[in-house]
Amino acid sequence: MANDEPKKFSDELKALRAEFAEVADKSKAAVAHLNTVIFKQELLEMRQEQDKTVAKFAHHGVLESVGNRDVTVLIGKSKDTGHGLDSVVGQGIDAASKLRFAAHSNYDLSVSASTFEAGAAKSVNISDYDRMEKARAKTEANAKEIVPALRDIMIANTPDKEYTRSRHYVIISDGNTTDSIEAAAKLIEGTLRGNPKATFDFINVGADNGNINELVAKVNVADEAQRPRIHTIAKADEVWGTFSNVLRERIAAAPFVKPAPVAPAPTPTAQPTP
């Protein structure tokens, strides 16, 4: 005979709890899957933004053309070049940081930055906001001497090495970088003769080119393509656009072409035993 006793209310509550638990488990799994999808989409969008930046200076838009090269940015820091993000020194550091972010991990293009005053160049960690902020800090010093930095560059490009990567040195300043024109010119010459894949570009902010014209005129190079170039702009906020143009011109002159894969050697066929 069927049991006609009514269900206890506690049993009904337990059944309801089980339904909610099942829904909660499904929701938890759905949220976990959605988190994964969101993370992948954010990475994709970041990569697309990076590619968009790199495309500005890639040769004919071929992103791989930027590979196999090192970019070194030297920024004159003095009272004249100002302080803060909107200054010459600030925009120079920002341009190097922007390039590093765009190229980091995705391309074979390394980026480094240093400021120079009167002594040895000071490296700037362009992946660390606090370090960049410190490098943009105000200074009362007005000595401008790039010779120590150029000496280090020449030593790093001696002719006894075999160079497979292009090296681009970009100097951002107000047009005054040295009181030692002859010495600076000889150091640049030594670098270019030691490494045929090295180039120098000067980005000068302001109407006055300082003594850069005189410096570049004294650099004697056999290959005109290696001759240092001067790019004059009116304001600091034009640094990034000019920097991109410099890279586009240099990459167009020596785009990286990925080597074709080498076909494996054919397997020798066994000869029949006589």
Side-chain angles (χ1 to χ4, degrees):
M1 195 172 172
N3 185 359
D4 294 330
E5 290 185 13
K7 287 185 178 180
K8 294 179 181 179
F9 185 53
S10 60
D11 290 335
E12 293 181 7
L13 291 175
K14 289 176 182 177
L16 187 61
R17 181 183 64 186
E19 290 180 19
F20 281 133
E22 183 180 359
V23 171
D25 287 342
K26 290 180 179 178
S27 297
K28 186 177 180 181
V31 169
H33 176 68
L34 190 57
N35 284 338
T36 301
V37 172
I38 290 171
F39 178 70
K40 289 181 177 179
Q41 181 61 28
E42 286 178 338
L43 286 180
L44 174 62
E45 290 170 353
M46 183 183 295
R47 176 62 187 271
Q48 289 171 339
E49 285 299 313
Q50 291 171 315
D51 288 349
K52 192 184 299 183
T53 300
V54 172
K56 292 178 181 178
F57 48 83
H59 184 52
H60 292 318
V62 179
L63 300 178
E64 289 77 11
S65 66
V66 308
N68 200 43
R69 68 189 71 240
D70 305 317
V71 178
T72 300
V73 184
L74 296 167
I75 306 140
K77 182 176 180 180
S78 67
K79 187 176 181 179
D80 288 343
T81 54
H83 64 279
L85 182 59
D86 296 330
S87 65
V88 175
V89 66
Q91 287 297 295
I93 292 171
D94 187 63
S97 177
K98 191 179 293 185
L99 176 62
R100 181 197 173 276
F101 175 76
H104 182 61
S105 299
N106 298 328
Y107 300 95
D108 183 21
L109 188 157
S110 71
V111 189
S112 61
S114 298
T115 59
F116 66 89
E117 297 178 55
K122 297 178 181 178
S123 177
V124 180
N125 186 337
I126 50 177
S127 63
D128 187 309
Y129 178 83
D130 290 335
R131 299 289 180 86
M132 290 192 292
E133 186 71 13
K134 185 176 180 180
R136 292 191 289 258
K138 186 175 182 179
T139 178
E140 293 298 326
N142 227 6
K144 303 163 187 176
E145 188 52 78
I146 199 175
V147 164
L150 291 178
R151 186 178 295 116
D152 290 340
I153 288 172
M154 189 186 73
I155 292 170
N157 289 275
T158 52
D160 58 314
K161 302 184 181 77
E162 182 179 350
Y163 297 100
T164 58
R165 296 174 65 84
S166 296
R167 290 183 178 176
H168 306 297
Y169 297 97
V170 182
I171 296 93
I172 301 172
S173 72
D174 63 351
N176 293 294
T177 59
T178 181
D179 291 327
S180 308
I181 297 291
E182 294 285 348
K186 291 298 181 185
L187 291 168
I188 293 175
E189 262 184 47
T191 300
L192 298 177
R193 289 176 179 173
N195 181 2
K197 291 181 175 290
T199 63
F200 284 86
D201 285 270
F202 292 89
I203 298 178
N204 298 332
V205 184
D208 181 14
N209 269 345
N211 54 16
I212 295 301
N213 286 330
E214 183 183 354
L215 169 58
V216 170
K218 287 184 177 293
V219 176
N220 184 20
V221 288
D223 185 356
E224 277 300 310
Q226 266 194 305
R227 175 162 293 282
R229 298 173 184 172
I230 301 171
H231 314 263
T232 302
I233 57 179
K235 299 177 182 178
D237 61 9
E238 298 175 36
V239 166
W240 169 248
T242 307
F243 185 47
S244 297
N245 289 338
V246 166
L247 292 177
R248 183 167 60 248
E249 290 173 5
R250 292 303 186 181
I251 290 169
F256 173 67
V257 179
K258 189 175 181 180
V262 179
T267 303
T269 54
Q271 298 297 321
T273 305

